[in-house]
């Protein structure tokens, strides 16, 4: 069973702090990993993707991938109340184009 | 996710009726995907289509669900004889040609189906 696991949260951090979101995956065949943000009642919005071991930075966001340990993380620096949302981790697994396995998401709450 | 157009945004159907959800991909995108998000559940892949072709329907329920992406016009997800368990958000996503995009897909705003 190919799975992507996330802690459902809620994860609560104060404004300005670093939020750390984690994700593990079961299939070593997975090659690419994606982080989406979803506000309540809205569609998932792509934040970033990563496919190489190590860190990838984009603005306040840093994705980290460790294929040996099969985990992916997303760091949000200088968290803002507007970052409060559910963060979805997804991976491909060598299946067809666009057939991604999503975790159930981690709810993040950034307190002013 | 700007550019992937879905309609209707909200749809209410009585049990046994049919639901048709439409999706126009982002300009320049030739691949369309449908996902379903049940309450308190993660997004689940349903089907992947290109123009006039179903490429992967491994996530589609065996009965009552069908999808198409005709040569002209939007992709359509059709649910026949809806039941309450079909109540969910249905998201369409699209991507450009695979060699240039890998597996990056962009979601539309979703269609919320409520079966009463």
């Amino acid at each position: 069973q190919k799975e992507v696991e996330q802690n459902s949260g809620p994860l609560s951090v104060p404004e300005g702090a670093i939020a750390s979101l984690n994700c593990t995956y079961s299939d070593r065949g997975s090659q690419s990993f994606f982080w989406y943000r979803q506000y309540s009642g809205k569609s998932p919005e792509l934040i970033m993707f990563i496919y190489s071991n190590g860190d990838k930075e984009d603005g306040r966001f840093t994705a980290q991938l460790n294929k040996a340990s099969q985990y992916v993380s997303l760091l949000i620096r200088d968290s803002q109340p507007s970052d409060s949302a559910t963060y979805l981790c997804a991976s491909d697994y060598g299946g067809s184009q666009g057939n991604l396995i999503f975790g159930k998401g981690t709810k993040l709450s950034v307190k002013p | 996710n700007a550019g992937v157009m879905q309609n209707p945004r909200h749809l209410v159907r009585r049990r046994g009726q049919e639901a048709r959800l439409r999706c126009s991909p982002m300009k320049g995108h030739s691949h369309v995907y449908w996902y379903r998000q049940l309450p308190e559940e993660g997004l689940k892949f349903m089907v992947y289509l290109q123009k006039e072709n179903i490429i992967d329907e491994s996530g589609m329920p065996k009965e009552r669900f069908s999808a198409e992406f005709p040569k002209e016009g939007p992709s359509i997800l059709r649910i026949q004889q809806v039941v309450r368990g079909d109540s969910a958000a249905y998201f369409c996503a699209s991507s450009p040609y695979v060699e240039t995009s890998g597996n990056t897909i962009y979601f539309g705003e979703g269609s919320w189906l409520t079966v009463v």
Side-chain angles (χ1 to χ4, degrees), chain A residues 49-96:
Chain A
F49 66 91
I50 186 169
Y51 52 85
S52 298
N53 270 327
D55 296 359
K56 180 181 179 182
E57 187 174 318
D58 184 1
R60 295 188 296 113
F61 299 97
T62 299
Q64 299 174 319
L65 173 59
N66 183 322
K67 289 189 176 181
S69 301
Q70 293 179 242
Y71 84 78
V72 195
S73 62
L74 179 71
L75 302 178
I76 307 174
R77 289 181 298 283
D78 189 23
S79 295
Q80 301 296 310
S82 59
D83 294 325
S84 299
T86 297
Y87 288 80
L88 307 175
C89 174
S91 77
D92 68 8
Y93 59 96
S96 68

Side-chain angles (χ1 to χ4, degrees), chain B residues 8-72:
Chain B
R9 293 292 312 283
H10 298 276
L11 182 63
V12 179
R13 283 289 177 267
R14 295 186 182 278
R15 281 177 295 170
Q17 291 185 319
E18 178 179 290
R20 286 195 180 209
L21 310 176
R22 290 175 290 278
C23 170
S24 295
M26 198 179 290
K27 186 176 181 180
H29 288 190
S30 56
H31 305 254
V32 166
Y33 318 86
W34 287 94
Y35 278 75
R36 177 167 66 174
Q37 190 172 38
L38 293 164
E40 307 303 322
E41 293 289 326
L43 279 162
K44 301 291 186 186
F45 169 83
M46 299 180 76
V47 63
Y48 160 34
L49 309 106
Q50 295 178 22
K51 287 284 188 183
E52 299 184 284
N53 277 304
I54 297 174
I55 307 301
D56 179 359
E57 56 182 347
S58 59
M60 287 282 270
K62 299 298 181 199
E63 298 177 344
R64 301 187 298 106
F65 285 73
S66 62
E68 62 176 1
F69 190 13
K71 186 176 181 180
E72 300 291 338

Side-chain angles (χ1 to χ4, degrees), chain A residues 1 31-32 34 36 38-46 49 86 88 91-105, chain B residues 1 9 31 33 35 37 40-45 48 55-56 58 91 95-98 101-110 112:
Chain A
Q1 182 79 358
Q31 298 180 18
S32 301
F34 306 83
Y36 285 85
Q38 187 174 27
Y39 294 108
S40 180
K42 300 295 185 181
S43 63
E45 174 191 7
L46 180 67
F49 66 91
T86 297
L88 307 175
S91 77
D92 68 8
Y93 59 96
S96 68
Q97 163 81 2
N99 186 341
L100 305 181
I101 301 206
F102 280 82
K104 291 185 178 181
Chain B
N1 59 2
R9 293 292 312 283
H31 305 254
Y33 318 86
Y35 278 75
Q37 190 172 38
E40 307 303 322
E41 293 289 326
L43 279 162
K44 301 291 186 186
F45 169 83
Y48 160 34
I55 307 301
D56 179 359
S58 59
F91 290 101
S95 69
Y97 187 56
V98 58
S101 71
N103 265 320
T104 304
I105 63 174
Y106 300 90
F107 285 93
E109 291 294 325
W112 269 259

